[in-house]
Amino acid sequence: MTVIVLCALTSWVAQRAAAVFHDGVRPFLLDFVQGRSTRRATAAVSFGLSAGFVFGLGAPLALSTGVLNPWLVFLPTDVLGLVSPKRWLAAVLGGAWGAVVVFGVGGANSWVHELPVDFVTAMQQMATPILYLFTLFPVLAVTQQFGRLRGGLCGVLELALVVLSLKLWPKVFPGSIAMAAGVLILVGLALHRDWGRPTGPEEDPEEDPEEDPEEDPMAGLFRAGAVRLRSHLPLLMLLGAGVCLLCQEHVLGGGEASGFLIAKGDYGGAAQVDFYRAFGFIPLIATTALASGAYGIAGFTLVYPVGYLLPSPWLALAAGALVFGVEVMLLSWAGRALGGLPSVRDASGHLRNAITQSLQLAILFGSLAAANAMGGGPGILVVGGLYLFNEVTGRPVTRMAAAPAAVIAGGILLNVLYWLHLFTPAAR
């Protein structure tokens, strides 16, 4: 019921253009809100950007972990809300999608486990590559922004911390401390560069008057966005309460790695992973929210780790509402602060790129391991072949989602071959 109600709420919120989950859709909402774009056109953009993630990433991860994720839950409600001409219809469609997710994932899990080629169990092989390679994203970001030397030193430090964690704290996810150190190094280097930037006499005072008129339109746009967001504050706080509650029930994981950690019962590790991940998205979410007047369904994503760690649903409802309320009220200040910290903004972009790069490799390795587990050499041939075919045909399925989608398609094909007596699973 929590999932169904929350999906109805997120679809209703999207219908009002008050919030959407996909960061790439949010900038298009400004034209929709100001009447320069139609509802149908905006919904088409949302569908085009989201479909690959829903079926290629969200569904496979939910099947393999048993934990829901935002791509499966919230991206479809973006589309359903934006395409609905009436608010009540958006709520009905969103709730219906929530029911499909809840009963569909459970039913699919039960059905697949009875198949001769159990590709869902095989997909659990994705956990180790995702968890450990994801640990390296701060190293990649430091290298991209501050050079090979600092990146190499950060990598050596992270490796040492992983080894120490395995030795001293075997029950703790070993990447947690390493990621914390890497993110702190990146942020520290970025702040040092910004605070050490020359000011005062070296600046040309005659440039400021010329630049101000160019900045005024953007400042006005951000101000209008902040006013619109505050007008939806009660609705957004309700949304934050619902997302936090779902995380507290450990039904929803905010990322690829945290879903596997929640499935293992490591809620502290999941909270740390999603907390560090948030640093890469806060500037993006803040600027797109201020520019469009539409917030993120998960806000700054800080509500995820808060929810994982809370002991009570009632505390989760209160904390989620409070977190969203504080975030919305501080958006204008965050926008101004980020304007004076260009290296921190760049660090956020490098973090997002590094997260994508590390996860693309991890998901590909994990998908090939799953292919080997479910079908040996033929499994690798089918899954790897589908992935390569997607590459050479212009990536109709986004790269990150292509490999998990290939595992599911390959698993279905191997089952068909088994029923035709053309393939025998290794376990038989």
Side-chain angles (χ1 to χ4, degrees):
M1 286 303 300
T2 305
V3 174
I4 292 171
V5 171
L6 183 59
C7 284
L9 176 62
T10 54
S11 183
W12 188 63
V13 170
Q15 198 277 342
R16 301 182 61 176
V20 291
F21 179 76
H22 201 302
D23 296 321
V25 174
R26 207 169 299 119
F28 292 92
L29 291 183
L30 180 62
D31 286 341
F32 172 65
V33 169
Q34 296 182 350
R36 296 193 298 269
S37 178
T38 65
R39 180 174 294 279
R40 180 176 295 181
T42 308
V45 169
S46 179
F47 179 82
L49 293 174
S50 303
F53 285 99
V54 175
F55 300 108
L57 187 63
L61 285 178
L63 288 172
S64 59
T65 63
V67 178
L68 300 179
N69 55 75
W71 302 281
L72 181 63
V73 177
F74 298 140
L75 287 180
T77 59
D78 282 357
V79 179
L80 294 172
L82 290 172
V83 80
S84 300
K86 302 291 183 181
R87 293 178 185 175
W88 65 267
L89 179 60
V92 170
L93 292 176
W97 175 253
V100 169
V101 167
V102 171
F103 298 109
V105 170
N109 260 310
S110 301
W111 174 69
V112 172
H113 288 317
E114 300 298 324
L115 293 174
V117 180
D118 183 357
F119 54 86
V120 168
T121 299
M123 288 180 70
Q124 294 173 5
Q125 298 291 324
M126 296 170 62
T128 300
I130 287 177
L131 290 174
Y132 281 87
L133 287 176
F134 184 73
T135 302
L136 293 173
F137 79 86
V139 177
L140 302 181
V142 170
T143 305
Q144 291 168 359
Q145 187 169 6
F146 296 102
R148 298 176 184 176
L149 176 61
R150 291 183 176 89
L153 293 174
C154 183
V156 170
L157 176 61
E158 282 208 7
L159 177 59
L161 290 173
V162 168
V163 172
L164 284 175
S165 298
L166 287 169
K167 185 69 175 179
L168 301 177
W169 307 288
K171 294 184 178 180
V172 177
F173 171 54
S176 300
I177 298 175
M179 277 188 286
V183 171
L184 286 174
I185 289 171
L186 177 66
V187 173
L189 289 171
L191 288 174
H192 180 266
R193 176 175 288 181
D194 283 333
W195 289 340
R197 199 176 298 275
T199 57
E202 297 184 11
E203 294 180 348
D204 186 354
E206 297 181 359
E207 292 182 358
D208 290 338
E210 297 177 3
E211 291 178 358
D212 285 340
E214 297 179 2
E215 295 177 357
D216 284 342
M218 184 58 69
L221 179 63
F222 276 22
R223 193 177 303 111
V227 170
R228 186 171 190 271
L229 287 165
R230 289 173 184 170
S231 70
H232 289 119
L233 185 59
L235 179 60
L236 295 176
M237 292 177 69
L238 180 62
L239 180 62
V243 175
C244 194
L245 175 61
L246 205 60
C247 292
Q248 192 277 331
E249 293 176 344
H250 304 134
V251 174
L252 177 73
E256 300 87 348
S258 55
F260 286 103
L261 290 170
I262 291 171
K264 295 179 178 180
D266 186 359
Y267 308 130
Q272 291 184 68
V273 167
D274 278 350
F275 178 73
Y276 306 140
R277 180 191 177 101
F279 284 95
F281 290 89
I282 288 176
L284 173 67
I285 294 168
T287 52
T288 56
L290 287 169
S292 65
Y295 204 40
I297 292 295
F300 286 162
T301 72
L302 297 174
V303 72
Y304 295 146
V306 170
Y308 302 151
L309 299 176
L310 290 175
S312 162
W314 299 109
L315 283 175
L317 288 169
L322 179 62
V323 167
F324 265 45
V326 171
E327 289 177 0
V328 172
M329 295 306 294
L330 292 180
L331 266 176
S332 295
W333 174 85
R336 290 194 300 270
L338 290 170
L341 298 171
S343 295
V344 173
R345 292 200 311 273
D346 292 343
S348 172
H350 288 300
L351 275 176
R352 290 196 305 276
N353 292 334
I355 288 171
T356 300
Q357 291 169 348
S358 60
L359 284 175
Q360 282 177 348
L361 181 63
I363 290 172
L364 177 58
F365 279 6
S367 298
L368 291 175
N372 182 62
M374 73 181 181
I380 293 176
L381 173 65
V382 172
V383 173
L386 289 172
Y387 179 85
L388 292 174
F389 183 76
N390 183 72
E391 286 286 304
V392 300
T393 54
R395 298 193 198 120
V397 179
T398 183
R399 179 177 283 172
M400 189 177 294
V407 174
I408 293 181
I412 294 172
L413 177 59
L414 291 177
N415 277 292
V416 171
L417 293 175
Y418 170 82
W419 289 322
L420 294 174
H421 304 288
L422 298 174
F423 174 75
T424 302
R428 286 183 174 269

PDB file of all heavy atoms in Angstrom, residues 2-29:
ATOM      1  N   THR A   2       1.990   1.214   0.690  1.00  0.00           N
ATOM      2  CA  THR A   2       2.882   2.379   0.697  1.00  0.00           C
ATOM      3  C   THR A   2       3.375   2.694  -0.709  1.00  0.00           C
ATOM      4  O   THR A   2       3.393   3.856  -1.144  1.00  0.00           O
ATOM      5  CB  THR A   2       4.087   2.129   1.621  1.00  0.00           C
ATOM      6  OG1 THR A   2       3.617   1.770   2.919  1.00  0.00           O
ATOM      7  CG2 THR A   2       4.944   3.367   1.733  1.00  0.00           C
ATOM      8  N   VAL A   3       3.762   1.660  -1.441  1.00  0.00           N
ATOM      9  CA  VAL A   3       4.246   1.865  -2.807  1.00  0.00           C
ATOM     10  C   VAL A   3       3.131   2.406  -3.688  1.00  0.00           C
ATOM     11  O   VAL A   3       3.347   3.346  -4.477  1.00  0.00           O
ATOM     12  CB  VAL A   3       4.798   0.538  -3.381  1.00  0.00           C
ATOM     13  CG1 VAL A   3       5.177   0.710  -4.849  1.00  0.00           C
ATOM     14  CG2 VAL A   3       5.990   0.064  -2.585  1.00  0.00           C
ATOM     15  N   ILE A   4       1.955   1.841  -3.587  1.00  0.00           N
ATOM     16  CA  ILE A   4       0.832   2.265  -4.431  1.00  0.00           C
ATOM     17  C   ILE A   4       0.470   3.725  -4.159  1.00  0.00           C
ATOM     18  O   ILE A   4       0.291   4.523  -5.082  1.00  0.00           O
ATOM     19  CB  ILE A   4      -0.376   1.338  -4.207  1.00  0.00           C
ATOM     20  CG1 ILE A   4      -0.065  -0.058  -4.746  1.00  0.00           C
ATOM     21  CG2 ILE A   4      -1.626   1.895  -4.872  1.00  0.00           C
ATOM     22  CD1 ILE A   4      -1.113  -1.105  -4.390  1.00  0.00           C
ATOM     23  N   VAL A   5       0.363   4.070  -2.879  1.00  0.00           N
ATOM     24  CA  VAL A   5       0.003   5.449  -2.518  1.00  0.00           C
ATOM     25  C   VAL A   5       1.099   6.421  -2.955  1.00  0.00           C
ATOM     26  O   VAL A   5       0.807   7.505  -3.481  1.00  0.00           O
ATOM     27  CB  VAL A   5      -0.253   5.552  -0.998  1.00  0.00           C
ATOM     28  CG1 VAL A   5      -0.409   7.017  -0.584  1.00  0.00           C
ATOM     29  CG2 VAL A   5      -1.497   4.764  -0.615  1.00  0.00           C
ATOM     30  N   LEU A   6       2.358   6.041  -2.751  1.00  0.00           N
ATOM     31  CA  LEU A   6       3.441   6.943  -3.133  1.00  0.00           C
ATOM     32  C   LEU A   6       3.499   7.126  -4.653  1.00  0.00           C
ATOM     33  O   LEU A   6       3.749   8.233  -5.139  1.00  0.00           O
ATOM     34  CB  LEU A   6       4.779   6.407  -2.620  1.00  0.00           C
ATOM     35  CG  LEU A   6       5.990   7.303  -2.886  1.00  0.00           C
ATOM     36  CD1 LEU A   6       5.803   8.679  -2.247  1.00  0.00           C
ATOM     37  CD2 LEU A   6       7.263   6.649  -2.371  1.00  0.00           C
ATOM     38  N   CYS A   7       3.268   6.060  -5.404  1.00  0.00           N
ATOM     39  CA  CYS A   7       3.250   6.186  -6.868  1.00  0.00           C
ATOM     40  C   CYS A   7       2.101   7.088  -7.322  1.00  0.00           C
ATOM     41  O   CYS A   7       2.255   7.879  -8.267  1.00  0.00           O
ATOM     42  CB  CYS A   7       3.130   4.804  -7.513  1.00  0.00           C
ATOM     43  SG  CYS A   7       4.660   3.851  -7.491  1.00  0.00           S
ATOM     44  N   ALA A   8       0.953   6.974  -6.664  1.00  0.00           N
ATOM     45  CA  ALA A   8      -0.158   7.869  -6.986  1.00  0.00           C
ATOM     46  C   ALA A   8       0.214   9.316  -6.696  1.00  0.00           C
ATOM     47  O   ALA A   8      -0.075  10.224  -7.496  1.00  0.00           O
ATOM     48  CB  ALA A   8      -1.397   7.464  -6.185  1.00  0.00           C
ATOM     49  N   LEU A   9       0.889   9.537  -5.573  1.00  0.00           N
ATOM     50  CA  LEU A   9       1.295  10.892  -5.205  1.00  0.00           C
ATOM     51  C   LEU A   9       2.333  11.452  -6.171  1.00  0.00           C
ATOM     52  O   LEU A   9       2.219  12.607  -6.612  1.00  0.00           O
ATOM     53  CB  LEU A   9       1.856  10.887  -3.773  1.00  0.00           C
ATOM     54  CG  LEU A   9       2.417  12.224  -3.264  1.00  0.00           C
ATOM     55  CD1 LEU A   9       1.337  13.293  -3.232  1.00  0.00           C
ATOM     56  CD2 LEU A   9       3.049  12.049  -1.888  1.00  0.00           C
ATOM     57  N   THR A  10       3.343  10.657  -6.527  1.00  0.00           N
ATOM     58  CA  THR A  10       4.389  11.169  -7.425  1.00  0.00           C
ATOM     59  C   THR A  10       3.834  11.458  -8.818  1.00  0.00           C
ATOM     60  O   THR A  10       4.245  12.431  -9.458  1.00  0.00           O
ATOM     61  CB  THR A  10       5.551  10.167  -7.522  1.00  0.00           C
ATOM     62  OG1 THR A  10       5.054   8.880  -7.909  1.00  0.00           O
ATOM     63  CG2 THR A  10       6.265  10.032  -6.196  1.00  0.00           C
ATOM     64  N   SER A  11       2.894  10.643  -9.276  1.00  0.00           N
ATOM     65  CA  SER A  11       2.270  10.919 -10.567  1.00  0.00           C
ATOM     66  C   SER A  11       1.439  12.192 -10.510  1.00  0.00           C
ATOM     67  O   SER A  11       1.450  13.008 -11.445  1.00  0.00           O
ATOM     68  CB  SER A  11       1.397   9.728 -10.980  1.00  0.00           C
ATOM     69  OG  SER A  11       0.836   9.923 -12.252  1.00  0.00           O
ATOM     70  N   TRP A  12       0.731  12.397  -9.422  1.00  0.00           N
ATOM     71  CA  TRP A  12      -0.091  13.607  -9.237  1.00  0.00           C
ATOM     72  C   TRP A  12       0.808  14.852  -9.184  1.00  0.00           C
ATOM     73  O   TRP A  12       0.485  15.894  -9.770  1.00  0.00           O
ATOM     74  CB  TRP A  12      -0.904  13.459  -7.958  1.00  0.00           C
ATOM     75  CG  TRP A  12      -1.926  14.523  -7.742  1.00  0.00           C
ATOM     76  CD1 TRP A  12      -3.014  14.802  -8.513  1.00  0.00           C
ATOM     77  CD2 TRP A  12      -1.962  15.458  -6.644  1.00  0.00           C
ATOM     78  NE1 TRP A  12      -3.733  15.848  -7.971  1.00  0.00           N
ATOM     79  CE2 TRP A  12      -3.110  16.265  -6.826  1.00  0.00           C
ATOM     80  CE3 TRP A  12      -1.154  15.673  -5.536  1.00  0.00           C
ATOM     81  CZ2 TRP A  12      -3.450  17.283  -5.945  1.00  0.00           C
ATOM     82  CZ3 TRP A  12      -1.493  16.689  -4.647  1.00  0.00           C
ATOM     83  CH2 TRP A  12      -2.633  17.479  -4.860  1.00  0.00           C
ATOM     84  N   VAL A  13       1.939  14.728  -8.488  1.00  0.00           N
ATOM     85  CA  VAL A  13       2.885  15.843  -8.393  1.00  0.00           C
ATOM     86  C   VAL A  13       3.476  16.158  -9.769  1.00  0.00           C
ATOM     87  O   VAL A  13       3.628  17.326 -10.153  1.00  0.00           O
ATOM     88  CB  VAL A  13       3.996  15.505  -7.378  1.00  0.00           C
ATOM     89  CG1 VAL A  13       5.121  16.530  -7.453  1.00  0.00           C
ATOM     90  CG2 VAL A  13       3.432  15.453  -5.963  1.00  0.00           C
ATOM     91  N   ALA A  14       3.808  15.101 -10.538  1.00  0.00           N
ATOM     92  CA  ALA A  14       4.348  15.321 -11.885  1.00  0.00           C
ATOM     93  C   ALA A  14       3.309  15.978 -12.792  1.00  0.00           C
ATOM     94  O   ALA A  14       3.651  16.816 -13.637  1.00  0.00           O
ATOM     95  CB  ALA A  14       4.811  13.996 -12.481  1.00  0.00           C
ATOM     96  N   GLN A  15       2.046  15.612 -12.642  1.00  0.00           N
ATOM     97  CA  GLN A  15       0.987  16.206 -13.460  1.00  0.00           C
ATOM     98  C   GLN A  15       0.920  17.716 -13.247  1.00  0.00           C
ATOM     99  O   GLN A  15       0.646  18.471 -14.185  1.00  0.00           O
ATOM    100  CB  GLN A  15      -0.362  15.550 -13.116  1.00  0.00           C
ATOM    101  CG  GLN A  15      -1.454  15.740 -14.146  1.00  0.00           C
ATOM    102  CD  GLN A  15      -2.184  17.075 -14.003  1.00  0.00           C
ATOM    103  OE1 GLN A  15      -2.113  17.722 -12.962  1.00  0.00           O
ATOM    104  NE2 GLN A  15      -2.899  17.484 -15.050  1.00  0.00           N
ATOM    105  N   ARG A  16       1.207  18.152 -12.032  1.00  0.00           N
ATOM    106  CA  ARG A  16       1.199  19.578 -11.710  1.00  0.00           C
ATOM    107  C   ARG A  16       2.529  20.255 -12.064  1.00  0.00           C
ATOM    108  O   ARG A  16       2.690  21.457 -11.826  1.00  0.00           O
ATOM    109  CB  ARG A  16       0.912  19.770 -10.226  1.00  0.00           C
ATOM    110  CG  ARG A  16      -0.418  19.197  -9.778  1.00  0.00           C
ATOM    111  CD  ARG A  16      -0.679  19.448  -8.310  1.00  0.00           C
ATOM    112  NE  ARG A  16      -0.741  20.869  -8.001  1.00  0.00           N
ATOM    113  CZ  ARG A  16      -1.034  21.350  -6.791  1.00  0.00           C
ATOM    114  NH1 ARG A  16      -1.309  20.511  -5.791  1.00  0.00           N
ATOM    115  NH2 ARG A  16      -1.081  22.638  -6.584  1.00  0.00           N
ATOM    116  N   ALA A  17       3.490  19.457 -12.586  1.00  0.00           N
ATOM    117  CA  ALA A  17       4.827  19.964 -12.914  1.00  0.00           C
ATOM    118  C   ALA A  17       5.508  20.555 -11.685  1.00  0.00           C
ATOM    119  O   ALA A  17       6.299  21.502 -11.787  1.00  0.00           O
ATOM    120  CB  ALA A  17       4.770  20.996 -14.038  1.00  0.00           C
ATOM    121  N   ALA A  18       5.197  19.980 -10.516  1.00  0.00           N
ATOM    122  CA  ALA A  18       5.820  20.440  -9.277  1.00  0.00           C
ATOM    123  C   ALA A  18       7.106  19.683  -8.988  1.00  0.00           C
ATOM    124  O   ALA A  18       7.990  20.202  -8.296  1.00  0.00           O
ATOM    125  CB  ALA A  18       4.854  20.272  -8.098  1.00  0.00           C
ATOM    126  N   ALA A  19       7.230  18.463  -9.499  1.00  0.00           N
ATOM    127  CA  ALA A  19       8.436  17.669  -9.279  1.00  0.00           C
ATOM    128  C   ALA A  19       8.439  16.492 -10.250  1.00  0.00           C
ATOM    129  O   ALA A  19       7.384  15.933 -10.555  1.00  0.00           O
ATOM    130  CB  ALA A  19       8.519  17.159  -7.841  1.00  0.00           C
ATOM    131  N   VAL A  20       9.630  16.123 -10.715  1.00  0.00           N
ATOM    132  CA  VAL A  20       9.830  14.911 -11.506  1.00  0.00           C
ATOM    133  C   VAL A  20      11.134  14.276 -11.035  1.00  0.00           C
ATOM    134  O   VAL A  20      11.989  14.943 -10.436  1.00  0.00           O
ATOM    135  CB  VAL A  20       9.891  15.178 -13.021  1.00  0.00           C
ATOM    136  CG1 VAL A  20       8.543  15.606 -13.563  1.00  0.00           C
ATOM    137  CG2 VAL A  20      10.959  16.212 -13.351  1.00  0.00           C
ATOM    138  N   PHE A  21      11.291  13.000 -11.324  1.00  0.00           N
ATOM    139  CA  PHE A  21      12.504  12.311 -10.867  1.00  0.00           C
ATOM    140  C   PHE A  21      13.670  12.520 -11.819  1.00  0.00           C
ATOM    141  O   PHE A  21      14.797  12.743 -11.389  1.00  0.00           O
ATOM    142  CB  PHE A  21      12.232  10.813 -10.705  1.00  0.00           C
ATOM    143  CG  PHE A  21      13.446  10.053 -10.263  1.00  0.00           C
ATOM    144  CD1 PHE A  21      13.877  10.117  -8.944  1.00  0.00           C
ATOM    145  CD2 PHE A  21      14.193   9.303 -11.163  1.00  0.00           C
ATOM    146  CE1 PHE A  21      15.023   9.452  -8.534  1.00  0.00           C
ATOM    147  CE2 PHE A  21      15.334   8.623 -10.762  1.00  0.00           C
ATOM    148  CZ  PHE A  21      15.752   8.696  -9.442  1.00  0.00           C
ATOM    149  N   HIS A  22      13.444  12.429 -13.119  1.00  0.00           N
ATOM    150  CA  HIS A  22      14.536  12.466 -14.093  1.00  0.00           C
ATOM    151  C   HIS A  22      15.112  13.879 -14.192  1.00  0.00           C
ATOM    152  O   HIS A  22      14.403  14.831 -14.542  1.00  0.00           O
ATOM    153  CB  HIS A  22      14.034  12.014 -15.466  1.00  0.00           C
ATOM    154  CG  HIS A  22      15.118  11.550 -16.388  1.00  0.00           C
ATOM    155  ND1 HIS A  22      16.180  12.350 -16.747  1.00  0.00           N
ATOM    156  CD2 HIS A  22      15.317  10.360 -17.026  1.00  0.00           C
ATOM    157  CE1 HIS A  22      16.975  11.686 -17.563  1.00  0.00           C
ATOM    158  NE2 HIS A  22      16.480  10.476 -17.746  1.00  0.00           N
ATOM    159  N   ASP A  23      16.398  14.009 -13.903  1.00  0.00           N
ATOM    160  CA  ASP A  23      17.040  15.323 -13.948  1.00  0.00           C
ATOM    161  C   ASP A  23      17.030  15.911 -15.352  1.00  0.00           C
ATOM    162  O   ASP A  23      17.020  17.129 -15.516  1.00  0.00           O
ATOM    163  CB  ASP A  23      18.489  15.208 -13.453  1.00  0.00           C
ATOM    164  CG  ASP A  23      18.566  14.800 -11.990  1.00  0.00           C
ATOM    165  OD1 ASP A  23      17.740  15.282 -11.198  1.00  0.00           O
ATOM    166  OD2 ASP A  23      19.451  13.993 -11.644  1.00  0.00           O
ATOM    167  N   GLY A  24      17.054  15.043 -16.374  1.00  0.00           N
ATOM    168  CA  GLY A  24      17.051  15.536 -17.746  1.00  0.00           C
ATOM    169  C   GLY A  24      15.720  16.075 -18.200  1.00  0.00           C
ATOM    170  O   GLY A  24      15.647  16.845 -19.164  1.00  0.00           O
ATOM    171  N   VAL A  25      14.639  15.685 -17.530  1.00  0.00           N
ATOM    172  CA  VAL A  25      13.297  16.160 -17.899  1.00  0.00           C
ATOM    173  C   VAL A  25      13.007  17.521 -17.278  1.00  0.00           C
ATOM    174  O   VAL A  25      12.295  18.342 -17.862  1.00  0.00           O
ATOM    175  CB  VAL A  25      12.228  15.134 -17.456  1.00  0.00           C
ATOM    176  CG1 VAL A  25      10.817  15.660 -17.683  1.00  0.00           C
ATOM    177  CG2 VAL A  25      12.426  13.815 -18.193  1.00  0.00           C
ATOM    178  N   ARG A  26      13.594  17.779 -16.122  1.00  0.00           N
ATOM    179  CA  ARG A  26      13.248  18.995 -15.369  1.00  0.00           C
ATOM    180  C   ARG A  26      13.452  20.281 -16.167  1.00  0.00           C
ATOM    181  O   ARG A  26      12.596  21.166 -16.123  1.00  0.00           O
ATOM    182  CB  ARG A  26      14.055  19.026 -14.062  1.00  0.00           C
ATOM    183  CG  ARG A  26      13.384  19.805 -12.938  1.00  0.00           C
ATOM    184  CD  ARG A  26      14.082  19.593 -11.615  1.00  0.00           C
ATOM    185  NE  ARG A  26      14.030  18.193 -11.244  1.00  0.00           N
ATOM    186  CZ  ARG A  26      15.100  17.422 -11.059  1.00  0.00           C
ATOM    187  NH1 ARG A  26      16.303  17.913 -11.206  1.00  0.00           N
ATOM    188  NH2 ARG A  26      14.968  16.161 -10.716  1.00  0.00           N
ATOM    189  N   PRO A  27      14.541  20.426 -16.932  1.00  0.00           N
ATOM    190  CA  PRO A  27      14.678  21.681 -17.705  1.00  0.00           C
ATOM    191  C   PRO A  27      13.565  21.898 -18.721  1.00  0.00           C
ATOM    192  O   PRO A  27      13.227  23.049 -19.029  1.00  0.00           O
ATOM    193  CB  PRO A  27      16.035  21.504 -18.400  1.00  0.00           C
ATOM    194  CG  PRO A  27      16.795  20.564 -17.528  1.00  0.00           C
ATOM    195  CD  PRO A  27      15.765  19.609 -16.997  1.00  0.00           C
ATOM    196  N   PHE A  28      12.974  20.816 -19.247  1.00  0.00           N
ATOM    197  CA  PHE A  28      11.898  20.967 -20.223  1.00  0.00           C
ATOM    198  C   PHE A  28      10.595  21.439 -19.588  1.00  0.00           C
ATOM    199  O   PHE A  28       9.699  21.911 -20.286  1.00  0.00           O
ATOM    200  CB  PHE A  28      11.655  19.636 -20.954  1.00  0.00           C
ATOM    201  CG  PHE A  28      12.775  19.229 -21.859  1.00  0.00           C
ATOM    202  CD1 PHE A  28      13.791  18.409 -21.398  1.00  0.00           C
ATOM    203  CD2 PHE A  28      12.835  19.686 -23.165  1.00  0.00           C
ATOM    204  CE1 PHE A  28      14.835  18.026 -22.221  1.00  0.00           C
ATOM    205  CE2 PHE A  28      13.876  19.310 -24.004  1.00  0.00           C
ATOM    206  CZ  PHE A  28      14.880  18.478 -23.525  1.00  0.00           C
ATOM    207  N   LEU A  29      10.491  21.296 -18.253  1.00  0.00           N
ATOM    208  CA  LEU A  29       9.249  21.701 -17.587  1.00  0.00           C
ATOM    209  C   LEU A  29       9.057  23.210 -17.604  1.00  0.00           C
ATOM    210  O   LEU A  29       7.931  23.686 -17.494  1.00  0.00           O
ATOM    211  CB  LEU A  29       9.233  21.184 -16.143  1.00  0.00           C
ATOM    212  CG  LEU A  29       9.107  19.669 -15.969  1.00  0.00           C
ATOM    213  CD1 LEU A  29       9.026  19.323 -14.484  1.00  0.00           C
ATOM    214  CD2 LEU A  29       7.867  19.142 -16.685  1.00  0.00           C
TER     215      LEU A  29
END
